[in-house]
Amino acid sequence: GENVEQHPSTLSVQEGDSAVIKCTYSDSASNYFPWYKQELGKGPQLIIDIRSNVGEKKDQRIAVTLNKTAKHFSLHITETQPEDSAVYFCAASQNSGGYQKVTFGIGTKLQVIP
Amino acid sequence: DVKVTQSSRYLVKRTGEKVFLECVQDMDHENMFWYRQDPGLGLRLIYFSYDVKMKEKGDIPEGYSVSREKKERFSLILESASTNQTSMYLCASRRKTGRSSYNSPLHFGNGTRLTVT
């Protein structure tokens, strides 16, 4: 089955700096890569996603890049703010027996220091 | 906005008890999921349901069962709770996706933190 590795597991940055979280996946059949943000006491929420036919996608201060050849995808947050502090999960999704199976990374705890 | 509501925020149960975790979504989503979240292990899929009355095992179904009698409601059942089932449980729903269609994202509830003593 699919295996998603995510690193780092924790990340501390100064407010205003950039943060990068990296993930790798093992199965070339994966075709959809969402990123979720989980704030304290809440469930994960989708913040950005990318499909396998796209190399990069941006939404204001966040961007995701995908390298299908290397099976890498990354989340980039620029001009970090304290409210960006949260746990971030990457995921890879693929067709499996007629449905879309989602495999998550272990999460990255991001702390933005004011 | 999609709302996924989990009936309990915190739950404390004794070993051997039968435990029901309830989840309701209000967006007419076909697919529903139960995950457990543990530090260092991420989110692991317990069971999911394509549609009403349907259920499929996920990656860690042992010790759990589910029920989906109505489209909006998906219940996770621990037949005989054990201490290793102490965890955060997350319910999610998703619009139905076809084999070649765009993958719709998961919408999560805020979780139920279950402690089994």
Side-chain angles (χ1 to χ4, degrees):
Chain A
E2 175 64 280
N3 181 49
V4 176
E5 295 190 357
Q6 180 174 351
H7 52 95
S9 56
T10 59
L11 179 60
S12 289
V13 299
Q14 292 289 331
E15 183 177 356
D17 287 351
S18 294
V20 180
I21 302 169
K22 297 183 179 182
C23 290
T24 61
Y25 61 100
S26 59
D27 194 331
S28 56
S30 288
N31 58 8
Y32 172 64
F33 305 91
W35 286 86
Y36 292 86
K37 175 184 180 183
Q38 185 177 28
E39 296 176 340
L40 199 61
K42 295 188 177 181
Q45 282 199 306
L46 179 78
I47 53 170
I48 195 167
D49 55 11
I50 190 167
R51 300 169 70 181
S52 58
N53 58 353
V54 175
E56 184 174 356
K57 184 176 178 182
K58 274 183 112 170
D59 183 3
Q60 299 182 337
R61 294 187 296 109
I62 59 172
V64 58
T65 58
L66 172 65
N67 182 329
K68 279 172 52 179
T69 305
K71 298 195 188 74
H72 289 172
F73 57 115
S74 300
L75 178 72
H76 304 253
I77 306 174
T78 58
E79 299 172 24
T80 53
Q81 299 168 4
E83 53 264 38
D84 294 329
S85 296
V87 178
Y88 292 81
F89 291 96
C90 64
S93 177
Q94 60 178 237
N95 290 317
S96 177
Y99 68 94
Q100 291 293 329
K101 181 175 167 64
V102 182
T103 303
F104 287 88
I106 63 168
T108 296
K109 186 174 183 179
L110 172 65
Q111 182 185 20
V112 179
I113 303 164
Chain B
D1 274 355
V2 178
K3 192 161 184 187
V4 179
T5 304
Q6 294 184 232
S7 56
S8 301
R9 194 94 174 96
Y10 299 95
L11 216 48
V12 180
K13 296 290 181 181
R14 292 190 183 275
T15 301
E17 277 193 80
K18 190 168 185 176
V19 182
F20 292 86
L21 302 184
E22 306 287 348
C23 174
V24 176
Q25 51 94 4
D26 66 359
M27 281 300 290
D28 204 36
H29 284 174
E30 290 83 6
N31 301 167
M32 294 189 75
F33 305 80
W34 277 105
Y35 288 87
R36 64 177 282 177
Q37 180 178 9
D38 300 287
L41 296 176
L43 302 172
R44 293 181 293 166
L45 182 63
I46 305 171
Y47 264 97
F48 63 100
S49 170
Y50 290 125
D51 213 327
V52 182
K53 305 280 189 184
M54 299 177 74
K55 57 185 178 184
E56 294 285 342
K57 292 180 180 179
D59 298 320
I60 52 164
E62 297 78 17
Y64 303 95
S65 62
V66 289
S67 173
R68 183 115 182 255
E69 295 298 314
K70 293 186 178 181
K71 192 173 187 179
E72 67 271 18
R73 186 180 296 271
F74 192 34
S75 303
L76 180 69
I77 303 155
L78 286 66
E79 295 290 341
S80 177
S82 64
T83 54
N84 62 11
Q85 292 178 309
T86 291
S87 186
M88 171 69 83
Y89 289 87
L90 290 165
C91 175
S93 72
R94 181 179 71 186
R95 177 178 55 82
K96 182 179 178 180
T97 60
R99 179 175 286 277
S100 60
S101 66
Y102 177 71
N103 286 276
S104 63
L106 294 166
H107 298 265
F108 286 89
N110 284 333
T112 295
R113 184 166 291 284
L114 172 67
T115 302
V116 182
T117 61

